[in-house]
Structures are given as structure tokens and as C-alpha cells.
Amino acid sequence: ETQDSFFSVRDIHAYYGESYIVQGVSFDLNKGEVLSLLGRNGAGKTTTLRTLARLDNPQLRSGEIWLNGEPLHNKKSHQAAQMGIQLVPEDRRIIGGLTVEENLVLSQVSGEIGWEIEKIYEYFPRLAERRKQEAPTMSGGEQQMLAVARALARDIKVLFLDEPYEGLAPVIVQEIEGIVRQIRDIGITTIIVEQNAVAALRLSDRAVIMDTGQIVYEGTAQEVLDNEQLRHEYLAI
Ligand code: ATP
């Protein structure tokens, strides 16, 4: 079977135990595209990302996920990671007791090496300044940068960012936006789940809006920004 798009999600259904959460989600992404996955609290966005990253929980009960013609739906999370899928979760999972540099090195030893540490420091000068600092003592924005940098230290093709801007000051949001733009420019496909819909949309090509586990709208980022009804009903902007 040949697959046209780079990353293809086809009618996925996912459960937490008996709770039916993701109820038939489908979309396609080209290489290097950035997608905003938006919707109200509890719509199923995080659950969708976790399903796509092939984490054990939720359970994918039907549907298909394809990366560059390879099936992901029959893979475990570590295999998905080896294939180039990385999820940066909302809590960022910074490893305590380790410095910035140790966090980056640890990420490299657990998979195919992506960016070299020195290249990461070129893109993230703040992390270079803090390479010997214990990671949990950094600011929220710096920790988010480290979480993204750790993903780049692996050989990734698709990056999922869950609420990357949460709790960050606008100036730091802009800094992280700049980094996501650079990630896009080197051809990494990105999905952003974000409550700050305006910030997510301004660096996205397309947007999907979810409600109660289903897609209620799909369009370009500009179409969503121009649609007052959608903005009011689902995005509170
Ligand atoms: P938010 O922005 O609030 O995180 P979301 O769109 O990401 O919203 P999800 O976190 O995917 O929504 O949650 C979707 C539904 O799944 C919610 O009803 C939530 O209570 C439920 N849910 C989430 N995690 C679990 C879990 N581990 N076990 C059972 N139900 C869960």
C-alpha cells in the first residue's frame, strides 16, 4: 500500500479503560507542516497526542497511523520513538538532579542521535549559558526550551508539543515560537496542542479543532483566525 502524505491519521479510536475518548479522528500532514490541535478543556487533545506517540495508555482500539509509509498503529512507544516520533508532555519531564547538559546527553544515549550538543547550544544560547546548571532550578521557559532541545537531540521526524506555552510570559512564548519556526524550516513536522490558540495559530499552517473526541473543524490557520463563530465557540478568543 502506498501512502501519499508524510504523517497520516486514519479514523483512530482510543480509550482510557472503558472511557471512550478519541472517537474517530483523521488528518494528514505533509513533511515540515505545523498543525494546531485546538479545542476546549477535555476535548481529547492530549489523549490524541498520547495515542499518536503510541503510549500504553490510552489504548488504540481501531484506526491507522502512518509515518512516511510505515505503520505506527502496531508499534509501542519506544518503537515509535525510534521511528522519529517525540512527545514533549505538558509537565516537560525534566530530569531532576541532572544538569542541562546531562539531560541532553541522556536523551542522545537513548536513541538515534539527532542534533549534536554544540548545534543545540547554537540554537538555544540560553541553554549554553546554563549547561552546568541543575535543570529543575531553571525558569519555566528555560525548562520548556530544554524539553524541546532534548527532543532535537534525538533523530526526530515528528514533534508533538503539549501546551508548550503554559505558564510562560509573552516574551518567552515568542522565543519558543522562534524555535518552532526553525524546527519547521528544517523539515520537522509538528503538532501543537495549546490553550493560547492565537500564539499557536500564528506559526501553524493548518488547524484542527476537536470537541468531545471528534474533529469539528479543519482548515488553514488563517481560516480559523478569520472565523469569529469558531473562535467564540471553541477557542475563547
Ligand atoms: P486539556 O486541555 O484539559 O488537557 P484535552 O483536550 O487535552 O484537555 P484530554 O486531556 O485528552 O483533553 O482529556 C479528554 C478526556 O479524557 C477528559 O474527559 C479526561 O477526563 C479524560 N482522561 C484524561 N486522562 C485520563 C486518564 N488517564 N484516565 C481516564 N480518563 C482520562
Side-chain angles (χ1 to χ4, degrees):
E1 196 182 354
T2 55
Q3 305 298 324
D4 294 330
S5 63
F6 184 68
F7 187 69
S8 182
V9 179
R10 299 187 180 178
D11 196 25
I12 59 167
H13 297 257
Y15 291 73
Y16 282 119
E18 286 314 302
S19 301
Y20 180 31
I21 309 291
V22 179
Q23 307 183 355
V25 163
S26 305
F27 58 81
D28 285 276
L29 283 175
N30 293 321
K31 191 168 187 296
E33 264 191 311
V34 181
L35 177 79
S36 283
L37 182 54
L38 305 174
R40 293 190 279 242
N41 285 330
K45 306 178 298 290
T46 295
T47 309
T48 299
L49 289 187
R50 290 178 60 87
T51 305
L52 297 178
R54 306 306 301 112
L55 300 182
D56 284 340
N57 214 11
Q59 186 194 17
L60 176 66
R61 291 215 190 148
S62 69
E64 297 180 353
I65 308 159
W66 295 86
L67 171 63
N68 210 8
E70 297 283 328
L72 270 167
H73 42 270
N74 57 0
K75 301 292 192 296
K76 300 265 186 207
S77 62
H78 70 276
Q79 295 169 309
Q82 279 163 1
M83 289 168 69
I85 302 274
Q86 281 289 313
L87 167 63
V88 176
E90 200 172 345
D91 65 11
R92 294 161 195 159
R93 300 281 159 77
I94 299 303
I95 300 168
L98 296 185
T99 65
V100 166
E101 191 147 300
E102 287 163 347
N103 264 273
L104 293 172
V105 170
L106 193 65
S107 182
Q108 286 192 326
V109 298
S110 59
E112 296 289 310
I113 292 182
W115 289 15
E116 298 295 343
I117 305 280
E118 286 310 314
K119 180 172 177 188
I120 289 174
Y121 287 151
E122 274 172 41
Y123 275 75
F124 299 86
R126 275 164 177 268
L127 295 183
E129 288 164 21
R130 289 171 173 72
R131 63 177 84 189
K132 302 286 178 220
Q133 187 171 334
E134 283 211 11
T137 65
M138 295 197 300
S139 73
E142 289 159 358
Q143 291 193 33
Q144 184 64 43
M145 286 175 203
L146 177 58
V148 174
R150 248 185 0 189
L152 292 168
R154 313 270 302 256
D155 185 20
I156 60 166
K157 297 183 173 66
V158 182
L159 178 65
F160 304 141
L161 300 174
D162 196 357
E163 307 269 2
Y165 304 147
E166 195 190 15
L168 305 185
V171 57
I172 307 295
V173 168
Q174 279 178 15
E175 220 170 303
I176 296 190
E177 264 185 74
I179 290 161
V180 176
R181 286 210 170 83
Q182 287 172 323
I183 290 172
R184 176 190 63 194
D185 292 347
I186 60 171
I188 293 172
T189 303
T190 305
I191 302 180
I192 306 174
V193 165
E194 188 43 66
Q195 288 303 321
N196 184 345
V198 172
L201 287 167
R202 71 182 167 225
L203 54 72
S204 293
D205 304 295
R206 290 195 295 127
V208 160
I209 301 178
M210 287 183 72
D211 200 38
T212 57
Q214 298 180 331
I215 292 179
V216 292
Y217 186 86
E218 184 173 0
T220 66
Q222 194 58 50
E223 281 162 1
V224 173
L225 286 168
D226 291 343
N227 187 325
E228 207 155 321
Q229 194 207 331
L230 275 182
R231 293 170 48 147
H232 272 108
E233 193 166 352
Y234 297 110
L235 309 179
I237 53 174

